[in-house]
C-alpha cells in the first residue's frame, strides 16, 4: 500500500512539473479577450433592443365605405336598366313571366360561375340557418317584390314606380338599427329626408299622374315591393357572413 501511495504521489508530482505555467502573452490575451467581451455585451444587448424596421403598411387603394357606395351606385344603375328592359317586355310576357325568365337566367349563370371558380364545397359549407334566411330573402324579395314592382311600372310608369319602391333602404336602415344595432348617422338621416321629399313630390295631388284608379293601384303595388325589399335586405345580411355576395 505504501509503495502504491508513493507511486501515485510521484505521478502527480511528475504531471505538475511537466505542466508549463502560462506565459505572459497568453495571460494578457485572456485578459483583453474578457475585456473585449464585456465591452461588446452592452452594444450587443442594445442592438437586440432596437426594434426591427418594418415596411409601412400599405393603405388600400379604396376604402370599404367608398367601395360600398360605388357598389350601391352600380346596383342602382343595373336595376334601372333591368327595369327598363323588363318594361318593354311586359306586354308580351306579363310581370310574372318577365320576372321568372330573368331570375332563372341570372340564377343559372351565377350558380355555374360559383361551381367553376369555387366548387360545390361552398354550398355545403353554408349552415342550415343561413340557407333558411337566404331562401326567405329570395322568395320575398325576388318572387314577390320584383313581380309587384314590375306591375307597378305598368300603372305608374318607370320613373314614379322606382321613386316610390326604391325608398325601401329607409325601412331597411330602420330595421337594421332595431335588430342589428347599426347606427343611424346624420348623413343617413339627411339622405332619408331628401328621399322622402322626392316621394312627396311624386304622390302630391298637384303632380301630373295617370287616371285615379291606375295611380293608386300603382302606388299600392310599389308599396308592396317596398315592404318586400326592406326586410329582405336585412335578412340576407347574416348569410353574407358565411358566403360572398356572388354565392
Amino acid at each position: 500500500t505504501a509503495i502504491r501511495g508513493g507511486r501515485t504521489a510521484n505521478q502527480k508530482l511528475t504531471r505538475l512539473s511537466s505542466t508549463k505555467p502560462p506565459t505572459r502573452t497568453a495571460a494578457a490575451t485572456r485578459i483583453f479577450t474578457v475585456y473585449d467581451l464585456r465591452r461588446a455585451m452592452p452594444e450587443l444587448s442594445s442592438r437586440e433592443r432596437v426594434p426591427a424596421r418594418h415596411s409601412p403598411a400599405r393603405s388600400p387603394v379604396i376604402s370599404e365605405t367608398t367601395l360600398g357606395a360605388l357598389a350601391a351606385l352600380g346596383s342602382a344603375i343595373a336595376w334601372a336598366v333591368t327595369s327598363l328592359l323588363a318594361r318593354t317586355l311586359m306586354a308580351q310576357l306579363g310581370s310574372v313571366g318577365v320576372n321568372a325568365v330573368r331570375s332563372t337566367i341570372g340564377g343559372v349563370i351565377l350558380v355555374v360561375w360559383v361551381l367553376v371558380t369555387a366548387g360545390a364545397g361552398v354550398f355545403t359549407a353554408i349552415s342550415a340557418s343561413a340557407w333558411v334566411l337566404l331562401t326567405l330573402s329570395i322568395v320575398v324579395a325576388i318572387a314577390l317584390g320584383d313581380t309587384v314592382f314590375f306591375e307597378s311600372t305598368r300603372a305608374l310608369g318607370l320613373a314614379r314606380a322606382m321613386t316610390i319602391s326604391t325608398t325601401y333602404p329607409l325601412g331597411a336602415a330602420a330595421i337594421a338599427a332595431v335588430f342589428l344595432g347599426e347606427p343611424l348617422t346624420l348623413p343617413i338621416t339627411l339622405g332619408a329626408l331628401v328621399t322622402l321629399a322626392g316621394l312627396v313630390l311624386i304622390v302630391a295631388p298637384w303632380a301630373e299622374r295617370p287616371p285615379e284608379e291606375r295611380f293608386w293601384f300603382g302606388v299600392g303595388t310599389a308599396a308592396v315591393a317596398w315592404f318586400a325589399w326592406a326586410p329582405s335586405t336585412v335578412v340576407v345580411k347574416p348569410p353574407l357572413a358565411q358566403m360572398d355576395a356572388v354565392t
Side-chain angles (χ1 to χ4, degrees):
T1 304
I3 295 172
R4 290 179 180 178
R7 291 179 180 177
T8 304
N10 292 332
Q11 291 176 355
K12 289 182 179 180
L13 290 173
T14 303
R15 291 176 182 175
L16 291 175
S17 60
S18 63
T19 303
K20 296 181 180 180
T23 61
R24 295 181 179 180
T25 304
T29 303
R30 291 180 182 178
I31 292 173
F32 282 112
T33 302
V34 174
Y35 173 75
D36 291 339
L37 288 175
R38 288 179 180 178
R39 185 178 62 179
M41 286 180 64
E43 296 179 1
L44 293 174
S45 61
S46 62
R47 291 178 183 177
E48 293 177 356
R49 288 193 297 268
V50 175
R53 294 182 179 179
H54 299 282
S55 58
R58 296 182 179 178
S59 58
V61 178
I62 185 173
S63 64
E64 292 185 357
T65 303
T66 305
L67 180 60
L70 292 177
L73 181 60
S75 175
I77 295 174
W79 181 240
V81 174
T82 301
S83 302
L84 182 61
L85 295 175
R87 181 72 176 84
T88 60
L89 299 173
M90 205 81 66
Q92 301 176 2
L93 300 177
S95 302
V96 178
V98 169
N99 195 25
V101 171
R102 60 180 286 273
S103 301
T104 302
I105 295 175
V108 170
I109 293 175
L110 289 176
V111 169
V112 172
W113 174 263
V114 172
L115 290 176
V116 171
T117 57
V122 177
F123 297 108
T124 59
I126 303 172
S127 64
S129 60
W131 273 114
V132 171
L133 294 177
L134 187 61
T135 303
L136 180 64
S137 175
I138 292 173
V139 171
V140 175
I142 297 178
L144 176 62
D146 290 3
T147 301
V148 295
F149 167 73
F150 291 144
E151 194 63 32
S152 69
T153 61
R154 302 175 68 177
L156 295 177
L158 185 59
R160 290 188 178 89
M162 289 198 70
T163 303
I164 295 174
S165 60
T166 53
T167 57
Y168 75 91
L170 304 180
I175 296 173
V178 174
F179 294 99
L180 300 181
E182 294 187 0
L184 289 176
T185 61
L186 181 59
I188 294 177
T189 305
L190 293 177
L193 295 177
V194 172
T195 304
L196 290 176
L199 180 60
V200 170
L201 293 177
I202 290 295
V203 300
W206 60 81
E208 183 181 355
R209 57 193 188 187
E212 198 72 15
E213 64 278 3
R214 296 294 296 171
F215 175 77
W216 289 112
F217 173 79
V219 171
T221 50
V224 173
W226 189 99
F227 282 104
W229 291 340
S232 298
T233 305
V234 180
V235 167
V236 80
K237 187 171 183 179
L240 285 175
Q242 304 181 23
M243 66 188 81
D244 57 16
V246 177
T247 306

